[in-house]
Each structure stands twice: as C-alpha cells, then as structure tokens.
C-alpha cells in the first residue's frame, strides 16, 4: 500500500517520473511543485487529489495542508506568497505536498492538539515535519543531478552552492544542507548570529572524525574570536574567505568561507577541513590525559 | 514552535540600538543568557530577569509573555498540518477561510 512509502521512496518515484518526462531538458529544474502535486495526485489518487494550490499575502503564516470543505474533493495546499524568498516558498509547497503523500491517511482529521496531549503532539509533530522536509529536499534536489553539478570530491564555494540553489529553486541553506549529505569531503556548515552558533551541520566524514558542534540542549557556543563569523568588518560585500590555523574553529587548520545575510540576520560559515587529519606526535603528547581522569572513567564504566 | 518571546526582545533591543553586551550589562545578565532568550527559547526563563529586561526595553513583562490568542482545537483540525505551528493573526485566518470558500474555482 502506498501509504507506507517512505519520504525517500515517494521522492524517488516522482524523480523518475520527471526524468522520464523532461530527460535532461533545461525545464527539468526547478521542479514545478504546484503543477506536479495537482497532476500527479489526480492520476494516482483520483478520489482524493490535491485539488487546490493557492498562495496569498498571509502574514504570520507559511503554509498548510487543508482538507477540502464539504462538497469538494481532496486536499488543498495554501501558502504565503509574501515570503521574501522564492526558494522558501518552493520548499514550503513541496513540504506540504509531502504531508499529503505521507500523512493524510494517518491523520485524516488533522492532528488533535489538546493541552493534555501536548507532549505526544510535540514529538509526533516533530517527526512528521522531519519526514516532510526529507521528502521536499529529495524531490527538489535529486542527488544524481546534484552530483553532476558538484561531485563528491569537489570543494565548493558558497557561490557554487548558490548556483545549485538557483537551479533547484531553493535557499542557499537548503542547497548546502543537501550537499553536506553526500559529499566525501570533511566540511561543516555553521550558522551564527550575534557571535553565537544558532546551529551547525557536518558532512558524514567530518562527523565521524569529530569535527562537529552540538547545539541542541546545550549552552550557547560562541564563535571563535579569530573566525570571520566573529569579525563582520572583515567581510566585503557581506562575503569573505580566510584560511585558519589550528585552534580557531577546530584543533586543525581549516578554510572558512563566510556570507552574512542581512535578510535573515545570520552569518553562514562553510568550513572546509583537510581530507585527512594530520596529527603530529607533539600534539598528541600535550593531549595526554590526566591519569586520575583515566582511572575515574575506567571505574565508572566509560571508555 | 515560534520563539515569540525571543523575537520581541530582539526587536525591542535593536529598536533601541543596544548590542547584546549593552542589554546584558543593563540587566545584570550574561551576554549568552540574553542571546539564549532571544534565539533558543529556553524553558522557564527567570521572572526577575524578564522584569529587568522589560524595564530596560520600556515594555511590560505581560507584553513579552503574551502569546496572542492560542490555536483552538477547532482551528488545529481546520489546518491539517501547519508548516510552522504558530499563532496566526486573525486577518490571516479570515483570508484563509475565504480562500477555502473559493475552493474549486481554480481546481
């Protein structure tokens, strides 16, 4: 039954369909989600289609999936057309289309959100949001095409990633996060505001080798004083690039490419680390642990 | 969830032209505490600190904590899945109701 398709599987199904229709033609991207949602659902679920995709100037609102009123069929995606960036609107519509495909049968009457239920609601809500985002990212930015733009070994600049954002009709942040999922490089993206890290994401190899920042449920992490993120006056036209020694962002050297966004009032730092970690024996000697700590850990079952 | 408290503090601070450091100094808080209030929605902020912040920003603690009207169960059922679960102002709700009424004219 289709209702148990994963976000990835739905996105792949649609990607194959679009590849079949457009091939490598220029109009393949960006994905025109409103048309796709209406056309595809009309054929696949004729009794329960997406029968409306409409935008208007709707302050304090991003988008939502509505059940059609009595006497009308299916579902509607309503979104705020006044959102400043075209990319975010595109992503929002794709996200709602994801809810339609993935969740409409599981939650036929929407999500009850009574006060007493807030905890359950919260975790369930977070989970379905994550699934809708995964669907949207996969549909708008298929990995095979993304790899053709920037292969897994390439060290992109923010302009390169901006070019992909343009191609897929998404924000720079969305394109960068997608690239971080498949790159073989050790890279980390840090988004900061007023000198502290809002959130950060590492590529799989960076994560595996300990280059990451954990922000959830932790006290704020200040950006390093010698980083570009901490020195906006070094940016020219909101952009900058800088090579750092060890002990700026990490215990190893890295390259920082920064972009300050006025619109969102945050700074994006893309950090490229070297392919392999080089440790000198002298560094290791300094990192030797205190014998007391080692013993304590062994006794308390840590490793 | 939207961090409305944080957004209000941030906006009022910027309107006054205060840096994080300045507001921290005025309210005898740490800079990272103010940043966390503005950006991370920490649970149960201290009432005493909020009162100080409200005072220095020429507003009231009621204004900072007022969440607007909360979403009723009926409205939650109305919109099946919010892109961002947050308060909508009433003119936006009204507009969406009208859009739903016109359903089918372009479908």
């Amino acid at each position: 039954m289709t209702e148990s398709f994963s976000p990835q599987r739905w996105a792949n199904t649609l990607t194959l369909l679009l590849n079949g229709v457009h091939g490598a033609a220029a109009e393949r991207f960006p994905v025109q989600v409103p048309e796709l949602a209406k056309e595809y659902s009309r054929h696949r679920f004729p009794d329960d289609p997406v029968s409306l995709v409409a935008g208007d100037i709707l302050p304090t609102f991003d988008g939502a999936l509505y059940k059609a009123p009595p006497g009308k069929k299916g579902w509607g995606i309503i979104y705020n057309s006044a959102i400043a960036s075209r990319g975010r609107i595109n992503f929002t519509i794709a996200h709602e289309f994801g809810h339609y495909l993935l969740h409409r049968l599981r939650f036929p009457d929407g999500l009850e959100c009574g006060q007493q239920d807030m905890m359950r609601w919260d975790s369930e809500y977070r989970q379905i949001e994550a699934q809708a985002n995964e669907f949207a990212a996969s549909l708008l930015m298929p990995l095979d095409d993304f790899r053709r733009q920037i292969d897994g070994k390439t060290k992109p600049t923010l302009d390169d990633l901006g070019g992909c954002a343009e191609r897929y009709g998404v924000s720079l942040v969305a394109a960068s996060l997608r690239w971080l999922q498949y790159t073989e490089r050790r890279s980390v993206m840090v988004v900061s505001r007023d000198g502290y890290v809002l959130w950060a994401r590492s590529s799989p190899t960076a994560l595996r080798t300990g280059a990451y920042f954990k922000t959830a449920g932790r006290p704020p992490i200040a950006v390093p004083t010698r980083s570009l993120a901490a020195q906006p006056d070094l940016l020219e036209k909101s952009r900058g690039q800088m090579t750092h020694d060890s002990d700026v962002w990490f215990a190893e050297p890295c390259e920082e490419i920064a972009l300050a966004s006025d619109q969102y009032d945050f700074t994006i730092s893309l950090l490229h680390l070297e392919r392999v970690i080089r440790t000198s024996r002298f560094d290791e000697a300094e990192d030797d642990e205190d014998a007391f700590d080692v013993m304590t850990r062994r006794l308390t079952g840590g490793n | 969830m939207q961090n409305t408290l944080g957004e209000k503090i941030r906006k009022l601070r910027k309107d006054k032209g205060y840096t994080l450091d300045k507001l921290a100094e005025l309210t005898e808080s740490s800079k990272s505490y103010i940043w966390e209030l503005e950006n991370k929605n920490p649970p149960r902020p201290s009432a005493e600190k909020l009162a100080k912040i409200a005072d220095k920003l020429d507003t009231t603690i009621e204004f900072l904590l007022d969440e607007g009207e909360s979403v009723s169960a009926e409205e939650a059922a109305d919109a099946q899945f919010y892109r961002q679960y947050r308060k909508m102002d009433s003119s936006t709700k009204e507009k969406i109701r009208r859009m739903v009424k016109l359903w089918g004219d372009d479908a």
Side-chain angles (χ1 to χ4, degrees), chain A residues 122-168:
Chain A
D122 216 36
S123 64
E124 188 149 59
Y125 177 77
R126 260 202 297 272
Q127 187 197 4
I128 66 168
E129 286 298 284
Q131 289 175 337
N133 284 338
E134 189 190 344
F135 169 82
S138 309
L139 173 70
L140 298 172
M141 300 174 275
L143 286 187
D144 61 341
D145 189 81
F146 213 134
R147 280 201 171 92
R148 280 194 289 273
Q149 316 303 313
I150 301 174
D151 82 24
K153 292 185 169 35
T154 302
K155 181 159 70 169
T157 63
L158 283 172
D159 286 341
D160 298 335
L161 291 165
C164 291
E166 194 71 30
R167 175 177 179 82
Y168 301 124

Side-chain angles (χ1 to χ4, degrees), chain A:
Chain A
M1 225 359 244
T2 49
E3 61 190 280
S4 57
F5 273 18
S6 67
Q8 208 54 62
R9 173 126 186 229
W10 271 121
N12 291 346
T13 303
L14 290 158
T15 294
L16 288 172
L17 179 85
L18 291 167
N19 287 347
V21 172
H22 298 291
E27 67 267 20
R28 170 68 177 89
F29 293 107
V31 176
Q32 304 298 319
V33 187
E35 293 74 11
L36 176 68
K38 287 199 276 201
E39 286 287 309
Y40 181 77
S41 65
R42 205 176 57 216
H43 288 113
R44 179 107 194 217
F45 306 107
D47 297 331
D48 200 26
V50 174
S51 50
L52 174 83
V53 180
D56 202 343
I57 297 168
L58 301 167
T60 70
F61 178 80
D62 270 2
L65 181 69
Y66 285 81
K67 186 92 187 105
K72 303 251 167 72
K73 231 180 10 181
W75 299 77
I77 293 169
I78 290 181
Y79 64 93
N80 181 4
S81 58
I83 294 175
S85 100
R86 185 55 243 168
R88 257 193 58 199
I89 293 176
N90 219 14
F91 200 92
T92 296
I93 299 172
H95 173 107
E96 299 306 334
F97 184 32
H99 279 317
Y100 162 84
L101 292 170
L102 295 158
H103 305 129
R104 74 181 186 288
L105 299 172
R106 215 187 334 156
F107 305 101
D109 306 315
L111 289 160
E112 292 292 322
C113 106
Q115 276 305 324
Q116 75 287 356
D117 234 9
M118 219 50 194
M119 283 307 293
R120 192 189 59 82
W121 152 268
D122 216 36
S123 64
E124 188 149 59
Y125 177 77
R126 260 202 297 272
Q127 187 197 4
I128 66 168
E129 286 298 284
Q131 289 175 337
N133 284 338
E134 189 190 344
F135 169 82
S138 309
L139 173 70
L140 298 172
M141 300 174 275
L143 286 187
D144 61 341
D145 189 81
F146 213 134
R147 280 201 171 92
R148 280 194 289 273
Q149 316 303 313
I150 301 174
D151 82 24
K153 292 185 169 35
T154 302
K155 181 159 70 169
T157 63
L158 283 172
D159 286 341
D160 298 335
L161 291 165
C164 291
E166 194 71 30
R167 175 177 179 82
Y168 301 124
V170 298
S171 67
L172 173 63
V173 168
S176 303
L177 289 174
R178 188 67 172 151
W179 169 77
L180 278 170
Q181 287 184 320
Y182 74 83
T183 183
E184 295 164 32
R185 297 201 64 90
R186 298 174 61 238
S187 300
V188 182
M189 182 172 169
V190 180
V191 176
S192 60
R193 170 185 285 164
D194 294 329
Y196 292 90
V197 177
L198 280 168
W199 55 268
R201 183 74 60 86
S202 296
S203 68
T205 44
L207 187 63
R208 266 207 304 279
T209 50
Y212 61 84
F213 296 96
K214 265 185 85 87
T215 54
R218 305 264 177 113
I221 302 169
V223 296
T225 43
R226 284 181 291 160
S227 68
L228 276 174
Q231 307 178 82
D233 46 321
L234 296 183
L235 300 177
E236 278 181 51
K237 294 194 178 118
S238 319
R239 292 161 177 273
Q241 188 158 355
M242 194 172 184
T243 306
H244 296 295
D245 296 337
S246 314
D247 298 324
V248 177
W249 281 100
F250 301 102
E252 54 182 303
C254 76
E255 191 181 329
E256 176 181 8
I257 306 170
L259 170 70
S261 161
D262 280 347
Q263 189 189 336
Y264 298 113
D265 193 17
F266 59 47
T267 299
I268 297 172
S269 296
L270 180 61
L271 309 175
H272 291 306
L273 292 94
E274 300 189 8
R275 294 186 154 281
V276 282
I277 307 182
R278 287 180 311 183
T279 49
S280 79
R281 304 186 53 138
F282 297 109
D283 288 346
E284 282 175 312
E286 283 176 20
D287 285 343
D288 262 354
E289 273 192 292
D290 188 276
F292 179 79
D293 291 342
V294 175
M295 289 308 294
T296 311
R297 264 222 316 265
R298 283 191 193 161
L299 292 171
T300 54
N303 42 23

Side-chain angles (χ1 to χ4, degrees), chain B residues 37-96:
Chain B
L37 268 183
E38 288 186 4
N39 296 288
K40 288 285 168 166
N41 216 7
R44 293 183 297 283
S46 128
E48 184 200 351
K49 288 272 187 234
L50 280 186
K52 274 196 178 138
I53 289 167
D55 178 49
K56 296 299 175 195
L57 294 176
D58 295 329
T59 185
T60 63
I61 202 163
E62 288 74 21
F63 170 79
L64 291 181
L65 290 174
D66 176 36
E67 290 281 330
E69 40 182 321
S70 56
V71 177
S72 69
E74 183 192 348
E75 282 155 3
D78 215 23
Q80 307 286 348
F81 304 108
Y82 282 99
R83 173 75 183 85
Q84 294 255 19
Y85 179 67
R86 62 163 139 194
K87 315 290 176 285
M88 269 193 271
D89 61 36
S90 45
S91 66
T92 294
K93 283 180 195 157
E94 188 43 45
K95 244 184 184 168
I96 290 178

